[in-house]
Amino acid sequence: MANVTLRNVRKAYPNGFEAIKGVDVDVADGQFCVLVGPSGCGKSTLLRMVAGLETITSGEIDIGGRVVNQVEPADRDIAMVFQNYALYPHMSVFNNMAYGLRNRGMKEAEIKTRVEEAARILELGTMLTRKPGQLSGGQRQRVAMGRAIVRQPKVFLFDEPLSNLDAKLRIAMRVEIRKLQRRLNTTSIYVTHDQLEAMTLADILVVMNGGQVEQVGNPLAIYEKPATTFVASFIGAPPMNLMSTRAEEIKSQLGGNAGEAGILGIRPEDFVITDQTPSGGVALSLSVEAIERVGAETFVYGSREQEDQRVAATPGELPPGEVIVRIPGTEAPAIGQKIRVAAVRSKLHLFSGDGRKRIEA
């Protein structure tokens, strides 16, 4: 096992495009780190740089106290699980898992022990003679993980390993990956664009955007105190409501408390439907435009009344005037109904006008 430290890591291509813009991340020994962000944010590029599959332009990648910038992938003592499984279709499950060990010249007795132990952990014991074409998607993914486990590496790297699975199987495999990592206690770095997957798996969450790190920390801490409007809108489903504090309806309620803030954020679950205006909080008048019932809870989509339409949309803001309210149960106001919603002061998030800075109330 080992820690992984990235120090001012950058990646620029010959055409001048800078894919990674000075990333600093420290993953402690045994931690599960998740890199999350939208497509094109640089998370897979960063993972491939750790693996040695992409060269770095500058900075340092340290694995277990050794700078590996110039070390070949095979010598970094890492194991990678890919999105497309990368299994040999003509080989049995056993031989797929054993292939890398044979290339290293390991004795067959040791290979057999390692493969059978990995198969037991992953519940693949009855499938060792099958070919990949005879397996389901979830079983193939477990074989790919088994191939990584038998290596007994210092670090596991996962590149969106669940993207090809259906929703139900993704949930099951997500749980299995987390249980497996805790059991093996191997340092792991996992890439995904799915923020729910990231929140449930991570010990340490790295939110990326445009080749940069927006925020690093415990998933729940990031959810409760996002550092920027990008993080606020990306982490959480439905996303945080973001609106300008310059809109007269909001400004009059916040008063001097708004300070230097230009953007107000409120999570959908932090609104309640009420006629009361909480002291120091915010209340909005909405016209209900859509309802989504998703079982134990309901999402109410409303448009703000008294909205100052002269105010331009701010970075990360929802469409002008739209607010999402999450309420428990299946009961909801009718479409077209006028309602008033409020959030107490402790549930408000304030950001600078450009969305790049969180402002503590």
Side-chain angles (χ1 to χ4, degrees), residues 241-258:
N241 298 292
L242 298 171
M243 56 201 84
S244 171
T245 60
R246 291 172 293 172
E248 290 304 316
E249 179 188 16
I250 298 169
K251 184 178 179 182
S252 64
Q253 295 177 60
L254 287 177
N257 290 334

Side-chain angles (χ1 to χ4, degrees), residues 37 74 83 104 120 133 148 171 218 230 268 287 312 338 359:
Q83 178 180 344
R104 293 183 167 210
R120 184 186 63 78
I171 294 172
N218 172 274
F230 173 82
S287 177
K338 307 295 183 182
I359 298 169

Side-chain angles (χ1 to χ4, degrees), residues 234-281:
F234 190 82
I235 300 297
M240 181 183 287
N241 298 292
L242 298 171
M243 56 201 84
S244 171
T245 60
R246 291 172 293 172
E248 290 304 316
E249 179 188 16
I250 298 169
K251 184 178 179 182
S252 64
Q253 295 177 60
L254 287 177
N257 290 334
E260 60 179 305
I263 302 173
L264 168 68
I266 306 174
R267 294 274 180 205
E269 65 269 24
D270 291 332
F271 275 121
V272 293
I273 299 176
T274 177
D275 292 329
Q276 305 297 315
T277 299
S279 176

Side-chain angles (χ1 to χ4, degrees), residues 169-345:
L169 190 52
R170 280 182 73 127
I171 294 172
M173 287 300 299
R174 191 165 70 211
V175 172
E176 290 305 312
I177 287 175
R178 195 63 179 102
K179 286 164 57 179
L180 177 64
Q181 194 273 339
R182 283 176 175 159
R183 177 174 180 175
L184 298 175
N185 197 33
T186 303
T187 307
S188 301
I189 303 177
Y190 186 106
V191 161
T192 182
H193 62 272
D194 185 327
Q195 57 92 17
L196 179 59
E197 197 169 282
M199 290 285 289
T200 55
L201 283 172
D203 293 320
I204 177 173
L205 188 61
V206 179
V207 185
M208 295 188 64
N209 181 32
Q212 301 178 85
V213 173
E214 291 271 335
Q215 191 170 358
V216 179
N218 172 274
L220 187 57
I222 288 177
Y223 183 83
E224 292 178 340
K225 287 193 173 185
T228 66
T229 53
F230 173 82
V231 176
S233 60
F234 190 82
I235 300 297
M240 181 183 287
N241 298 292
L242 298 171
M243 56 201 84
S244 171
T245 60
R246 291 172 293 172
E248 290 304 316
E249 179 188 16
I250 298 169
K251 184 178 179 182
S252 64
Q253 295 177 60
L254 287 177
N257 290 334
E260 60 179 305
I263 302 173
L264 168 68
I266 306 174
R267 294 274 180 205
E269 65 269 24
D270 291 332
F271 275 121
V272 293
I273 299 176
T274 177
D275 292 329
Q276 305 297 315
T277 299
S279 176
V282 165
L284 302 173
S285 296
L286 304 178
S287 177
V288 178
E289 295 189 332
I291 301 291
E292 284 184 342
R293 293 180 173 86
V294 291
E297 57 191 10
T298 297
F299 303 141
V300 179
Y301 295 78
S303 60
R304 298 200 297 271
E305 297 182 345
Q306 303 174 14
E307 177 69 12
D308 185 348
Q309 297 298 333
R310 295 169 298 172
V311 178
T314 49
E317 188 175 4
L318 292 168
E322 183 174 89
V323 172
I324 306 174
V325 180
R326 175 188 277 167
I327 58 176
T330 57
E331 295 298 320
I335 292 176
Q337 183 178 340
K338 307 295 183 182
I339 63 173
R340 193 161 175 80
V341 298
V344 298
R345 179 66 182 169

Side-chain angles (χ1 to χ4, degrees), residues 60-80:
E60 288 185 344
I61 298 176
D62 183 308
I63 299 177
R66 178 178 64 148
V67 175
V68 296
N69 292 22
Q70 305 302 322
V71 176
E72 291 297 319
D75 299 322
R76 295 192 180 196
D77 203 2
I78 54 96
M80 195 161 182

